[in-house]
Amino acid sequence: MSLKAFHIVFVAASVMLCLVLGAWAYGRYQQAGIVADLGWSIGSFAAAVGLIGYGWYFLRKLKNISYL
Amino acid sequence: MEIPYTYKPRPDTGLYNAKVGIWLFLASEIMLFGALFSSYILLRVQSPEGLWPIVEGGWPSGLLNIPIGTFNTAVLITSSVTVVLAWAALKMNNFAAFRRYMVVTLVCAFGFLGIKSFEYNEKFTHYELRMTDGSAHTGHLEVNGKHPGFWDFGAIYNLERLQSESVTEVKFTFDPPKPKPGEKQEAHAHETKTIAVGDIAKLRTFTPSTHTFFGIYFVITALHGLHVLGGALVLGYFAFPGASMWKSNPEQFTNRIEVAGLFWHFVDLVWIFLFPVVYLL
């Protein structure tokens, strides 16, 4: 597996982490009502979207490099 | 004698030798970290219900600084992006861009370690306090007007030391109480009280011996930190003194960066799993 393929795995794991963190922060907001937790949750979901966009850009930029 | 298959693929594996080597090494690393993760999960699920320190064997959830941990996670994700862009820059024959991305990677690596040492400091200056009336608290200690600190190990206190130094009272700043499930968080100021040493049953800092959680937390994060330090040193070597190979053998140099990048990604991936398990669970 090349660095290109491993990087895609890494970006996918990072997106999952951002989604988990976003859901966790939203749960905390619902429980304790702290507005900062809501901002944290929105920020985490936005980071997940940003990482998906970056992954798309990365695949296009390195389309000539092997996955092996 | 020339070392074979440093950049040409070996016919039987289809890969250059260093790539096979790094994946074998990473397989052993997965077993190492996997054993530690399994230990953590088993200890976590077998701990009694309730929060430490009120329940003595309970789990101390919420004692780690989650905003700082989140920031450190973002720092490591950024470093993985820049290391792969550095490798891509070499593939596109752009050495100047390679060096720029490597410098950003190194800044992120040492930034991560700096922030982690700040977190360690926070733990070594945080105290568990048990009173003779059975109540248990966490917070920060002040002895004779001084806050014992991480960089001065001689200033870390326990009950025996307070007694041997004939200290009669200390100031203790209590952590704000945690809201119960479904309860709104109230704004709590940190309350500081003067406590007679005779009323203290137990006093100790958040060190590995204090609780199973701190034992495994320090082992996993310190081992991960050593991996970050090792990876940063290798990347620093390739960014500066080792970069002379780019002129003599650019293909082999590019492969070296790929191998170092694979290790760096593994280290960052460990943190991606470590952060939610240790900080959020």
Side-chain angles (χ1 to χ4, degrees):
Chain A
M1 188 192 275
S2 72
L3 183 56
K4 176 186 174 181
F6 198 24
H7 190 62
I8 291 162
V9 171
F10 177 80
V11 170
S14 302
V15 169
M16 293 299 291
L17 175 69
C18 288
L19 295 176
V20 166
L21 192 62
W24 175 85
Y26 187 72
R28 230 167 72 135
Y29 166 70
Q30 281 196 318
Q31 194 181 57
I34 301 170
V35 180
D37 285 335
L38 180 65
W40 195 352
S41 172
I42 293 168
S44 298
F45 286 125
V49 173
L51 278 167
I52 292 169
Y54 161 75
W56 188 255
Y57 158 81
F58 175 77
L59 279 175
R60 286 181 57 181
K61 185 175 164 132
L62 271 72
K63 63 183 172 190
N64 296 325
I65 294 175
S66 160
Y67 285 97
L68 197 63
Chain B
M1 189 185 82
E2 196 188 336
I3 299 170
Y5 307 116
T6 52
Y7 57 91
K8 282 183 190 162
R10 235 177 106 111
D12 49 359
T13 62
L15 302 169
Y16 60 88
N17 278 349
K19 196 184 275 188
V20 178
I22 192 73
W23 276 111
L24 286 172
F25 173 65
L26 292 183
S28 72
E29 291 276 84
I30 289 167
M31 287 184 259
L32 171 66
F33 278 101
L36 288 169
F37 269 99
S38 308
S39 307
Y40 183 92
I41 300 287
L42 283 172
L43 290 167
R44 175 73 184 89
V45 297
Q46 287 177 358
S47 66
E49 282 289 320
L51 283 179
W52 180 85
I54 297 158
V55 177
E56 193 143 6
W59 205 249
S61 297
L63 282 180
L64 296 181
N65 194 325
I66 300 171
I68 286 184
T70 306
F71 181 74
N72 242 356
T73 306
V75 168
L76 274 195
I77 291 174
T78 306
S79 75
S80 272
V81 169
T82 52
V83 84
V84 86
L85 290 177
W87 172 66
L90 288 182
K91 286 273 186 191
M92 291 163 193
N93 224 12
N94 186 348
F95 184 79
F98 156 77
R99 187 161 269 169
R100 272 199 304 276
Y101 286 126
M102 287 295 265
V103 168
V104 177
T105 308
L106 290 170
V107 168
C108 288
F110 287 107
F112 175 87
L113 291 174
I115 294 165
K116 200 72 214 152
S117 69
F118 172 79
E119 270 192 279
Y120 274 21
N121 177 40
E122 215 183 28
K123 291 291 146 280
F124 283 115
T125 55
H126 215 148
Y127 281 78
E128 172 201 8
L129 172 71
R130 288 185 186 277
M131 308 295 285
T132 48
D133 65 6
S135 63
H137 313 274
T138 57
H140 293 86
L141 186 73
E142 190 183 317
V143 182
N144 298 328
K146 287 181 184 167
H147 292 276
F150 175 49
W151 301 114
D152 182 8
F153 281 107
I156 289 177
Y157 280 86
N158 56 22
L159 182 59
E160 291 70 33
R161 183 167 174 201
L162 288 175
Q163 287 166 339
S164 70
E165 291 183 7
S166 305
V167 178
T168 54
E169 57 181 30
V170 293
K171 279 188 177 171
F172 197 81
T173 305
F174 294 88
D175 289 339
K178 290 194 180 77
K180 293 185 177 102
E183 204 176 71
K184 295 264 179 196
Q185 172 86 53
E186 301 292 334
H188 284 286
H190 287 261
E191 191 187 359
T192 303
K193 280 185 183 170
T194 301
I195 294 170
V197 172
D199 293 337
I200 299 173
K202 193 193 271 183
L203 178 76
R204 51 188 182 174
T205 55
F206 291 180
T207 49
S209 64
T210 305
H211 191 282
T212 316
F213 168 76
F214 293 115
I216 193 121
Y217 163 77
F218 281 113
V219 167
I220 297 184
T221 54
L223 184 67
H224 177 263
L226 284 174
H227 279 73
V228 171
L229 180 64
L233 291 176
V234 170
L235 290 173
Y237 172 77
F238 287 143
F240 296 103
S244 55
M245 184 186 250
W246 173 250
K247 288 177 186 157
S248 59
N249 196 340
E251 276 184 281
Q252 189 179 350
F253 183 69
T254 306
N255 287 348
R256 283 184 165 192
I257 300 302
E258 183 179 19
V259 166
L262 285 168
F263 175 76
W264 193 252
H265 270 63
F266 170 78
V267 171
D268 292 357
L269 198 60
V270 167
W271 183 261
I272 295 286
F273 287 100
L274 197 59
F275 171 67
V277 169
V278 175
Y279 283 71
L280 306 184
L281 265 184

